[in-house]
Amino acid sequence: MTLMAAVTGLAAVIAVGTGPALALPVSNKTADTLTFVGSDTTQYLDDAFCAAINNNTNGDNPKPASGATDTCVNVHAFAAPGETTKVAPADAFSPACTWSIPPSTAPSGSSCLSGGNGMETAPSGSGAGAARQEANPTDASVDVGRASSLQCSSSRPNLECYAYARDAVGYATYRTQKITLTTAQIQGIYNCSITDWSQIPKAGSGAIARFFPQTGSGTGSFFVANFLNGVDPRLSSTCTVTQVAENDGSAIPSASRANAIVPFSAGSWIAQGNAVVPDTRNAITLGKVTVGSTTFALTGGSAGAYTPNAAAYKEGSAYPGARYVFHNVDNRAPQYGPALRFIGFDATGKSKLCSGAYASTLKQYGFQALANISGDAPDAGTCRLILQ
């Protein structure tokens, strides 16, 4: 079956791919534990999503049997303040699992797979989450992958990637000047043809300190693909970068901050500025990007009420850093059906998430809800299925 969800009037087809026929299952009578892992960018957003599921806030977690409500467990990629582990209760498909949240790690050889010792280090990043799903498709200790870059491809025919919001990736600095860069200047910084801020008009001076999200980061891989023409500076031996946890200004050493630059999710920056997630920006600010004759700012509003800039975020935007964020499921997984009921859609219906029920939450956390698709079959609502 060929799956396609397109938005009328956009310049490009949004979702194309080939995969198995879907069937959004009727709610069963069992209490399922649904475990989310993966991206740091959306880890706190999915805290809110899981809380709504667990509280049945939007009526998307009813079960026809008493006590059979599903439990959503969102396992962070990087620890929140004071966090070291997260426990996912046992259900009919999987034993209980204690996830160690980086920088904490489980003992060497530990695993939450059936037959393991019920402990495991949580995957850190979009790619790591998808790899964990793909490596163990019949295991139910991981049900949904968080992703801030597309993980589906022809080499992963069973992975289904459901986009549900838009983010914008740019760069952040501690410069006292208001920085505006062209895409060519961003490339120059990361290929070392630009090594001092004095080479950028109105940017002051100082040897540029290049930082980059950790390997496995969806933000990092997206920045490589969309700003750096596919050239990954983490692999360079001549123009090196220092890898840090994504979207975390506090990860940059104090001595380097004045001259630092690092890719950063605007959604994550907004959520931190709106105080709905721990604020680790440490006064780092987002820069503007000029594309052709248009200069894009990524945010609007003010502290506590920051909002996404629709001009940069919207589907069809000319801004190169605009991207989808995803929930991924493997259609071979034992919990494929229960997971799809919360994060996806098919010909028989769509989840509450794909019905626009979480639009205000998305905005508060720095993401822009997708436009509702009408008249298509299947009815994707405010989600997109993107397979490659």
Side-chain angles (χ1 to χ4, degrees):
M1 174 181 179
T2 299
L3 302 171
M4 182 167 67
V7 179
T8 302
L10 289 188
V13 171
I14 299 300
V16 292
T18 302
L22 302 179
L24 197 65
V26 175
S27 177
N28 58 28
K29 296 182 180 182
T30 63
D32 303 308
T33 296
L34 301 174
T35 301
F36 289 52
V37 302
S39 172
D40 165 68
T41 301
T42 57
Q43 69 175 21
Y44 292 112
L45 173 61
D46 271 350
D47 279 348
F49 181 52
C50 277
I53 288 175
N54 292 336
N55 295 329
N56 202 21
T57 302
N58 290 304
D60 52 357
N61 195 10
K63 287 281 188 170
S66 176
T69 302
D70 292 336
T71 299
C72 183
V73 177
N74 187 43
V75 180
H76 287 174
F78 291 99
E83 181 182 42
T84 56
T85 61
K86 188 68 171 273
V87 177
D91 64 8
F93 297 95
S94 180
C97 175
T98 298
W99 294 93
S100 293
I101 314 300
S104 297
T105 57
S108 178
S110 294
S111 173
C112 285
L113 298 173
S114 296
N117 65 347
M119 300 180 66
E120 190 169 326
T121 301
S124 293
S126 304
R132 177 61 169 77
Q133 290 179 282
E134 183 181 31
N136 306 283
T138 61
D139 167 59
S141 58
V142 170
D143 305 294
V144 178
R146 300 184 307 268
S148 58
S149 62
L150 180 63
Q151 298 299 313
C152 286
S153 67
S154 58
S155 65
R156 288 174 167 165
N158 297 101
L159 194 66
E160 298 174 5
C161 299
Y162 289 86
Y164 63 93
R166 294 281 277 182
D167 183 21
V169 174
Y171 64 90
T173 77
Y174 287 95
R175 304 297 290 170
T176 57
Q177 299 84 358
K178 294 182 178 180
I179 304 298
T180 298
L181 298 176
T182 65
T183 52
Q185 288 169 331
I186 292 171
Q187 291 166 16
I189 288 171
Y190 280 101
N191 67 24
C192 286
S193 61
I194 296 175
T195 58
D196 196 284
W197 285 110
S198 62
Q199 295 173 260
I200 306 294
K202 301 179 181 179
S205 63
I208 297 172
R210 295 172 300 279
F211 290 84
F212 215 81
Q214 81 285 354
T215 298
S217 159
T219 297
S221 63
F222 183 87
F223 195 89
V224 167
N226 291 274
F227 285 98
L228 303 182
N229 292 328
V231 179
D232 192 337
R234 293 168 295 192
L235 304 178
S236 176
S237 59
T238 57
C239 182
T240 59
V241 296
T242 301
Q243 295 189 45
V244 292
E246 64 180 7
N247 307 317
D248 185 352
S250 68
I252 296 176
S254 298
S256 300
R257 288 177 186 169
N259 292 312
I261 185 171
V262 65
F264 216 97
S265 156
S268 180
W269 191 94
I270 290 171
Q272 293 179 52
N274 287 344
V276 292
V277 307
D279 189 354
T280 59
R281 293 173 302 162
N282 276 25
I284 202 167
T285 60
L286 298 173
K288 296 181 180 180
V289 177
T290 297
V291 180
S293 60
T294 302
T295 296
F296 291 94
L298 302 186
T299 68
S302 57
Y306 289 115
T307 58
N309 180 4
Y313 275 67
K314 67 182 180 180
E315 292 177 296
S317 172
Y319 179 65
R323 64 174 176 177
Y324 294 100
V325 291
F326 301 86
H327 287 134
N328 302 334
V329 290
D330 191 302
N331 55 42
R332 298 167 293 180
Q335 295 274 60
Y336 169 72
L340 193 65
R341 287 186 56 251
F342 290 113
I343 60 89
F345 64 88
D346 76 351
T348 66
K350 55 183 180 283
S351 63
K352 291 286 185 177
L353 177 62
C354 296
S355 300
Y358 291 87
S360 61
T361 300
L362 292 172
K363 183 177 180 180
Q364 186 179 28
Y365 280 77
F367 301 94
Q368 182 168 290
L370 304 183
N372 184 65
I373 294 176
S374 60
D376 281 5
D379 180 3
T382 57
C383 290
R384 316 284 187 259
L385 174 59
I386 306 178
L387 297 182
Q388 56 183 311

